[in-house]
């Protein structure tokens, strides 16, 4: 009985390795599309009890407006029921609202201030 010599198994070809491992995959960098943050407008609401001069003073102090601009905003609040005092990021708008409400509360006025997202 003659037996055949078994065939040597074939091995996959050996690829030389580079010092850094050689089998690393490099991905292409893609530019990310970043949207600007959502902005919020800070608005004051009209009431029949808060003096106009106090509203002008609050707008000057917390929103950095000059007397003429603050007076124009106050008149818009008085005539339209609401007036925008400034546009800020969410955190800054929330801080401005808190500052205005605290000042009104300390002065004993029912002035209302809100922040609303801009679409």
């Amino acid at each position: 009985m003659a037996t055949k010599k078994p065939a040597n198994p074939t091995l996959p070809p050996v690829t030389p390795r580079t010092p850094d491992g050689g089998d690393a995959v490099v991905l292409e960098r893609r530019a990310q599309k970043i949207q600007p943050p959502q902005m919020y407008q800070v608005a004051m609401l009209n009431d029949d009890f808060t003096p106009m001069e106090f509203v002008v003073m609050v707008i000057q102090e917390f929103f950095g407006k000059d007397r003429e601009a603050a007076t124009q905003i106050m008149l818009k609040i008085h005539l339209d029921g609401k007036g925008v005092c400034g546009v800020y990021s969410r955190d800054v708008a929330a801080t401005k609202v808190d500052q205005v409400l605290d000042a009104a509360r300390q002065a004993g006025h029912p002035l209302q201030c809100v922040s609303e997202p801009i679409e």
Side-chain angles (χ1 to χ4, degrees), residues 50-92:
T50 304
M52 292 180 180
E53 192 58 39
F54 178 77
V55 174
V56 171
M57 185 270 305
V58 165
I59 294 170
Q60 285 180 300
E61 184 174 338
F62 297 115
F63 298 98
K65 306 289 185 186
D66 60 18
R67 184 148 181 88
E68 185 176 334
T71 303
Q72 291 298 318
I73 294 170
M74 179 272 302
L75 288 173
K76 180 153 181 62
I77 295 167
H78 181 70
L79 297 174
D80 297 344
K82 177 170 103 173
V84 176
C85 300
V87 176
Y88 306 96
S89 64
R90 183 180 67 195
D91 294 338
V92 175

Side-chain angles (χ1 to χ4, degrees), residues 42-43 63 92-102 113-115:
V42 178
F63 298 98
V92 175
T95 301
K96 296 283 186 186
V97 168
D98 289 342
Q99 289 174 333
V100 170
L101 294 177
D102 287 344
C113 187
V114 296
S115 67

Side-chain angles (χ1 to χ4, degrees), residues 16-30:
R17 291 188 172 252
T18 56
D20 65 349
D23 54 354
V25 176
V26 178
L27 297 178
E28 193 175 310
R29 184 177 293 238
R30 294 182 184 169

